[in-house]
Tab-separated table of all heavy atoms in Angstrom:
chain	number	residue	atom	x	y	z
H	289	THR	N	-16.300	-16.203	17.560
H	289	THR	CA	-15.314	-15.132	17.728
H	289	THR	C	-14.844	-14.951	19.166
H	289	THR	O	-13.814	-14.308	19.398
H	289	THR	CB	-15.892	-13.800	17.226
H	289	THR	OG1	-17.069	-13.477	17.977
H	289	THR	CG2	-16.234	-13.876	15.753
H	290	SER	N	-15.593	-15.487	20.134
H	290	SER	CA	-15.179	-15.354	21.537
H	290	SER	C	-14.403	-16.558	22.038
H	290	SER	O	-13.985	-16.593	23.197
H	290	SER	CB	-16.403	-15.128	22.433
H	290	SER	OG	-17.279	-16.243	22.381
H	291	SER	N	-14.170	-17.545	21.161
H	291	SER	CA	-13.463	-18.759	21.581
H	291	SER	C	-11.957	-18.551	21.520
H	291	SER	O	-11.443	-17.738	20.736
H	291	SER	CB	-13.852	-19.941	20.690
H	291	SER	OG	-13.352	-19.767	19.372
H	292	ALA	N	-11.242	-19.305	22.354
H	292	ALA	CA	-9.778	-19.236	22.348
H	292	ALA	C	-9.219	-19.708	21.010
H	292	ALA	O	-8.227	-19.161	20.514
H	292	ALA	CB	-9.213	-20.075	23.483
H	293	LEU	N	-9.863	-20.713	20.385
H	293	LEU	CA	-9.370	-21.261	19.131
H	293	LEU	C	-9.482	-20.236	18.007
H	293	LEU	O	-8.559	-20.079	17.194
H	293	LEU	CB	-10.149	-22.521	18.774
H	293	LEU	CG	-9.562	-23.411	17.664
H	293	LEU	CD1	-8.164	-23.882	18.039
H	293	LEU	CD2	-10.475	-24.601	17.400
H	294	TYR	N	-10.597	-19.515	17.953
H	294	TYR	CA	-10.772	-18.488	16.919
H	294	TYR	C	-9.706	-17.406	17.065
H	294	TYR	O	-9.089	-16.984	16.081
H	294	TYR	CB	-12.170	-17.864	17.013
H	294	TYR	CG	-12.386	-16.713	16.054
H	294	TYR	CD1	-12.913	-16.932	14.786
H	294	TYR	CD2	-12.052	-15.410	16.409
H	294	TYR	CE1	-13.101	-15.882	13.898
H	294	TYR	CE2	-12.228	-14.352	15.527
H	294	TYR	CZ	-12.756	-14.596	14.282
H	294	TYR	OH	-12.944	-13.546	13.403
H	295	ASN	N	-9.489	-16.959	18.290
H	295	ASN	CA	-8.524	-15.881	18.490
H	295	ASN	C	-7.087	-16.360	18.298
H	295	ASN	O	-6.214	-15.575	17.926
H	295	ASN	CB	-8.731	-15.263	19.868
H	295	ASN	CG	-9.951	-14.370	19.913
H	295	ASN	OD1	-9.913	-13.230	19.467
H	295	ASN	ND2	-11.066	-14.891	20.425
H	296	GLN	N	-6.841	-17.644	18.528
H	296	GLN	CA	-5.543	-18.204	18.180
H	296	GLN	C	-5.341	-18.145	16.666
H	296	GLN	O	-4.265	-17.786	16.180
H	296	GLN	CB	-5.430	-19.651	18.665
H	296	GLN	CG	-4.084	-20.297	18.340
H	296	GLN	CD	-4.052	-21.796	18.672
H	296	GLN	OE1	-5.032	-22.351	19.207
H	296	GLN	NE2	-2.946	-22.445	18.340
H	297	GLY	N	-6.399	-18.486	15.932
H	297	GLY	CA	-6.324	-18.402	14.478
H	297	GLY	C	-6.150	-16.980	13.990
H	297	GLY	O	-5.363	-16.708	13.070
H	298	GLY	N	-6.879	-16.038	14.621
H	298	GLY	CA	-6.729	-14.642	14.242
H	298	GLY	C	-5.330	-14.114	14.487
H	298	GLY	O	-4.763	-13.381	13.664
H	299	ASP	N	-4.748	-14.501	15.631
H	299	ASP	CA	-3.370	-14.093	15.912
H	299	ASP	C	-2.395	-14.705	14.914
H	299	ASP	O	-1.416	-14.067	14.502
H	299	ASP	CB	-2.978	-14.505	17.336
H	299	ASP	CG	-3.650	-13.659	18.401
H	299	ASP	OD1	-4.225	-12.606	18.056
H	299	ASP	OD2	-3.611	-14.060	19.588
H	300	TRP	N	-2.656	-15.955	14.517
H	300	TRP	CA	-1.759	-16.616	13.578
H	300	TRP	C	-1.810	-15.958	12.200
H	300	TRP	O	-0.787	-15.881	11.498
H	300	TRP	CB	-2.080	-18.104	13.461
H	300	TRP	CG	-1.059	-18.858	12.658
H	300	TRP	CD1	-1.209	-19.395	11.419
H	300	TRP	CD2	0.299	-19.120	13.034
H	300	TRP	NE1	-0.045	-19.984	10.994
H	300	TRP	CE2	0.907	-19.827	11.972
H	300	TRP	CE3	1.045	-18.828	14.167
H	300	TRP	CZ2	2.226	-20.246	12.015
H	300	TRP	CZ3	2.369	-19.243	14.210
H	300	TRP	CH2	2.942	-19.935	13.146
H	301	VAL	N	-2.974	-15.462	11.816
H	301	VAL	CA	-3.063	-14.722	10.559
H	301	VAL	C	-2.155	-13.502	10.617
H	301	VAL	O	-1.467	-13.168	9.638
H	301	VAL	CB	-4.525	-14.307	10.275
H	301	VAL	CG1	-4.592	-13.309	9.112
H	301	VAL	CG2	-5.365	-15.533	9.947
H	302	GLY	N	-2.102	-12.827	11.765
H	302	GLY	CA	-1.183	-11.707	11.919
H	302	GLY	C	0.262	-12.131	11.739
H	302	GLY	O	1.058	-11.425	11.109
H	303	VAL	N	0.626	-13.285	12.289
H	303	VAL	CA	1.982	-13.805	12.110
H	303	VAL	C	2.253	-14.079	10.634
H	303	VAL	O	3.321	-13.740	10.100
H	303	VAL	CB	2.192	-15.077	12.945
H	303	VAL	CG1	3.540	-15.711	12.636
H	303	VAL	CG2	2.082	-14.766	14.439
H	304	CYS	N	1.283	-14.685	9.964
H	304	CYS	CA	1.435	-14.977	8.530
H	304	CYS	C	1.620	-13.699	7.725
H	304	CYS	O	2.464	-13.627	6.815
H	304	CYS	CB	0.214	-15.742	8.023
H	304	CYS	SG	0.061	-17.427	8.665
H	305	PHE	N	0.854	-12.676	8.056
H	305	PHE	CA	0.995	-11.409	7.353
H	305	PHE	C	2.366	-10.782	7.618
H	305	PHE	O	2.954	-10.156	6.745
H	305	PHE	CB	-0.121	-10.452	7.769
H	305	PHE	CG	-1.440	-10.696	7.064
H	305	PHE	CD1	-1.710	-11.899	6.444
H	305	PHE	CD2	-2.401	-9.710	7.033
H	305	PHE	CE1	-2.922	-12.127	5.802
H	305	PHE	CE2	-3.614	-9.913	6.390
H	305	PHE	CZ	-3.869	-11.129	5.775
H	306	SER	N	2.865	-10.950	8.829
H	306	SER	CA	4.191	-10.405	9.120
H	306	SER	C	5.261	-11.149	8.325
H	306	SER	O	6.258	-10.555	7.905
H	306	SER	CB	4.483	-10.492	10.621
H	306	SER	OG	4.730	-11.822	11.035
H	307	VAL	N	5.054	-12.449	8.092
H	307	VAL	CA	6.027	-13.232	7.323
H	307	VAL	C	6.076	-12.767	5.874
H	307	VAL	O	7.161	-12.551	5.315
H	307	VAL	CB	5.698	-14.736	7.410
H	307	VAL	CG1	6.493	-15.520	6.370
H	307	VAL	CG2	5.995	-15.269	8.811
H	308	TYR	N	4.915	-12.579	5.254
H	308	TYR	CA	4.969	-12.168	3.850
H	308	TYR	C	5.527	-10.754	3.719
H	308	TYR	O	6.238	-10.446	2.756
H	308	TYR	CB	3.612	-12.342	3.156
H	308	TYR	CG	2.627	-11.198	3.214
H	308	TYR	CD1	2.840	-10.021	2.504
H	308	TYR	CD2	1.439	-11.315	3.933
H	308	TYR	CE1	1.921	-8.988	2.532
H	308	TYR	CE2	0.513	-10.289	3.967
H	308	TYR	CZ	0.759	-9.123	3.253
H	308	TYR	OH	-0.159	-8.109	3.298
H	309	ASN	N	5.246	-9.905	4.680
H	309	ASN	CA	5.813	-8.565	4.633
H	309	ASN	C	7.312	-8.573	4.878
H	309	ASN	O	8.068	-7.858	4.210
H	309	ASN	CB	5.120	-7.677	5.671
H	309	ASN	CG	3.801	-7.123	5.185
H	309	ASN	OD1	3.762	-6.215	4.371
H	309	ASN	ND2	2.711	-7.681	5.677
H	310	GLY	N	7.759	-9.383	5.843
H	310	GLY	CA	9.187	-9.466	6.109
H	310	GLY	C	9.950	-10.044	4.932
H	310	GLY	O	11.029	-9.545	4.569
H	311	LEU	N	9.397	-11.073	4.327
H	311	LEU	CA	10.042	-11.674	3.164
H	311	LEU	C	10.139	-10.669	2.022
H	311	LEU	O	11.123	-10.641	1.277
H	311	LEU	CB	9.274	-12.915	2.726
H	311	LEU	CG	9.860	-13.688	1.550
H	311	LEU	CD1	11.184	-14.330	1.955
H	311	LEU	CD2	8.888	-14.757	1.062
H	312	SER	N	9.121	-9.827	1.887
H	312	SER	CA	9.128	-8.858	0.793
H	312	SER	C	10.303	-7.896	0.913
H	312	SER	O	10.849	-7.443	-0.106
H	312	SER	CB	7.807	-8.074	0.768
H	312	SER	OG	7.724	-7.157	1.844
H	313	ALA	N	10.703	-7.564	2.139
H	313	ALA	CA	11.836	-6.665	2.327
H	313	ALA	C	13.124	-7.278	1.792
H	313	ALA	O	13.988	-6.569	1.260
H	313	ALA	CB	11.988	-6.314	3.808
H	314	VAL	N	13.254	-8.599	1.927
H	314	VAL	CA	14.445	-9.294	1.408
H	314	VAL	C	14.349	-9.455	-0.102
H	314	VAL	O	15.310	-9.195	-0.838
H	314	VAL	CB	14.599	-10.665	2.088
H	314	VAL	CG1	15.785	-11.420	1.508
H	314	VAL	CG2	14.748	-10.497	3.599
H	315	VAL	N	13.184	-9.858	-0.579
H	315	VAL	CA	12.997	-10.083	-2.013
H	315	VAL	C	13.197	-8.792	-2.799
H	315	VAL	O	13.694	-8.814	-3.932
H	315	VAL	CB	11.595	-10.674	-2.269
H	315	VAL	CG1	11.296	-10.751	-3.770
H	315	VAL	CG2	11.481	-12.066	-1.651
H	316	ALA	N	12.822	-7.657	-2.198
H	316	ALA	CA	12.987	-6.371	-2.889
H	316	ALA	C	14.435	-6.135	-3.294
H	316	ALA	O	14.708	-5.468	-4.305
H	316	ALA	CB	12.493	-5.235	-1.996
H	317	LEU	N	15.389	-6.688	-2.532
H	317	LEU	CA	16.803	-6.529	-2.863
H	317	LEU	C	17.219	-7.416	-4.031
H	317	LEU	O	18.228	-7.149	-4.685
H	317	LEU	CB	17.662	-6.851	-1.636
H	317	LEU	CG	17.381	-6.023	-0.378
H	317	LEU	CD1	18.240	-6.524	0.782
H	317	LEU	CD2	17.633	-4.545	-0.629
H	318	LEU	N	16.457	-8.483	-4.270
H	318	LEU	CA	16.809	-9.435	-5.327
H	318	LEU	C	16.125	-9.137	-6.655
H	318	LEU	O	16.604	-9.570	-7.707
H	318	LEU	CB	16.429	-10.854	-4.879
H	318	LEU	CG	17.055	-11.338	-3.565
H	318	LEU	CD1	16.526	-12.730	-3.218
H	318	LEU	CD2	18.575	-11.344	-3.648
H	319	LEU	N	15.016	-8.397	-6.625
H	319	LEU	CA	14.267	-8.141	-7.849
H	319	LEU	C	15.101	-7.474	-8.940
H	319	LEU	O	14.990	-7.847	-10.120
H	319	LEU	CB	13.036	-7.288	-7.532
H	319	LEU	CG	11.905	-7.982	-6.755
H	319	LEU	CD1	10.800	-6.979	-6.446
H	319	LEU	CD2	11.351	-9.169	-7.528
Side-chain angles (χ1 to χ4, degrees):
T289 60
S290 63
S291 68
L293 194 59
Y294 175 92
N295 284 281
Q296 180 187 357
D299 288 347
W300 188 251
V301 169
V303 173
C304 291
F305 279 19
S306 72
V307 167
Y308 88 71
N309 278 285
L311 182 68
S312 72
V314 177
V315 173
L317 303 176
L318 303 177
L319 289 176

